[in-house]
Amino acid sequence: MSLKEKPSIYLATRPSVDWKSIAEFFEEENVPPIPDSVRAGDDESAAVIEIAARMCYMSYGRGRRDITDFINNLLSSKDGSVFEHVNYGFIITGVSRSLTHELVRHRAGFAYSQRSQRYVDETEGSFVVPPALAANREGIEAARNVLNNALLRAADSYVELVEALEETLPRDLFELNTDRRKAIRQAARSVLPNATETKIFVTANVRALRHFIEMRGAIFADWEIRYLAIEMLRILQNEAPLLFGDFTIETLPDNTQIASPIHSKV
Ligand SMILES: Cc1cc2nc3c(=O)[nH]c(=O)nc-3n(C[C@H](O)[C@H](O)[C@H](O)COP(=O)(O)OP(=O)(O)OC[C@H]3O[C@@H](n4cnc5c(N)ncnc54)[C@H](O)[C@@H]3O)c2cc1C
């Protein structure tokens, strides 16, 4: 039985600007050449937002000159829709099915592709240990034994169910063998617990990500998803400091962390 205690998070996609196209647009519209503010910084996330936001008033090269000031003004005035133009894609593994059940409740601005338990056999699958039962916590041996035994029993039951259905499910019910295998696994997965490890590709825009991190990085969120939200925040603060820089991360006496923004739900 393979156990995982921490997720792996891979930033798979980030925004990019086609500066040649933008320059052509400015020239066509008789707008001054690309202002310094739009080109500011190493990442292109804030540039996308400035280009989109200035479309509303065709105010390129006018108004606020400093990009930090410009973005902060959008955040504080809750002009949230322009933050929807910037998307990031994450591949996330080593998380439990209970975590992804909470994650996929975030609907607006999110796209998901998750490993299927009907197509993919779980015989060699892993389980995710809840943070409260992590190996480095003291005094959890007895509870950890309860968890380990339950997971072992579940894994064994899954294999037994697959074998039993392989023997008994009539072949002539299915046109394709793939459909039969799917039918077997979809039944056998009923004995897998919430702790079953899963993998998911998540793409979301900055407005949606900010809301997700605010909700799931808060003290009342489950520890596993809270850890994920805060790790995603760290990646995003590095990628797009102007768009996520108002979040602060705080360590609690129980050694878990929480994150909260200055600008709530833009
Ligand atoms: C600590 C915690 C505990 C929770 N406990 C439970 C629980 O016990 N049971 C349970 O069922 N859920 C629970 N949830 C899930 C919660 O109710 C939300 O489904 C989840 O957090 C997604 O939030 P959201 O709808 O704001 O996000 P999104 O779906 O991403 O929506 C973002 C925002 O868009 C707007 N929006 C989206 N869809 C609509 C719509 N159809 N109509 C109008 N406005 C819309 C809203 O302003 C919404 O806040 C819990 C969440 C947290 C953080």
Side-chain angles (χ1 to χ4, degrees), residues 166 171 174-184:
E166 279 286 1
R171 288 181 189 277
F174 304 93
E175 209 174 302
L176 299 172
N177 202 30
T178 326
D179 293 335
R180 186 168 179 273
R181 277 206 303 271
K182 216 163 72 180
I184 290 170

Side-chain angles (χ1 to χ4, degrees), residues 191-210:
V191 295
L192 291 175
N194 274 336
T196 306
E197 191 243 353
T198 185
K199 305 176 201 302
I200 192 163
F201 194 130
V202 185
T203 303
N205 69 54
V206 165
R207 188 186 205 180
L209 283 164
R210 286 183 57 94

Side-chain angles (χ1 to χ4, degrees), residues 212-219 221 225-226 229-230 257-260:
F212 165 74
I213 293 165
E214 182 175 355
M215 300 292 290
R216 302 300 179 172
I219 195 163
I225 199 166
R226 180 150 38 103
I230 290 173
Q257 294 188 314
I258 54 170
S260 51

Side-chain angles (χ1 to χ4, degrees), residues 101-110 112 208 211-212 214-222 225 265:
H101 186 79
E102 294 181 346
L103 175 60
V104 300
R105 292 295 301 278
H106 293 266
R107 303 155 289 174
F110 274 85
Y112 303 103
H211 178 57
F212 165 74
E214 182 175 355
M215 300 292 290
R216 302 300 179 172
I219 195 163
F220 41 81
D222 182 289
I225 199 166
K265 201 176 187 197

Side-chain angles (χ1 to χ4, degrees), residues 53-117:
R54 289 200 186 279
M55 180 67 78
C56 304
Y57 307 112
M58 285 300 281
S59 64
Y60 301 102
R62 291 192 275 115
R64 291 170 197 273
R65 294 246 156 234
D66 177 51
I67 185 71
T68 307
D69 184 31
F70 186 82
I71 297 289
N72 280 342
N73 182 54
L74 290 172
L75 286 171
S76 60
S77 54
K78 302 210 183 287
D79 275 342
S81 63
V82 291
F83 293 88
E84 294 172 16
H85 292 288
V86 179
N87 284 264
Y88 291 91
F90 294 89
I91 294 172
I92 300 167
T93 67
V95 288
S96 69
R97 274 251 160 188
S98 51
L99 181 147
T100 56
H101 186 79
E102 294 181 346
L103 175 60
V104 300
R105 292 295 301 278
H106 293 266
R107 303 155 289 174
F110 274 85
Y112 303 103
S113 299
Q114 182 166 16
R115 190 175 87 141
S116 166
Q117 287 188 323

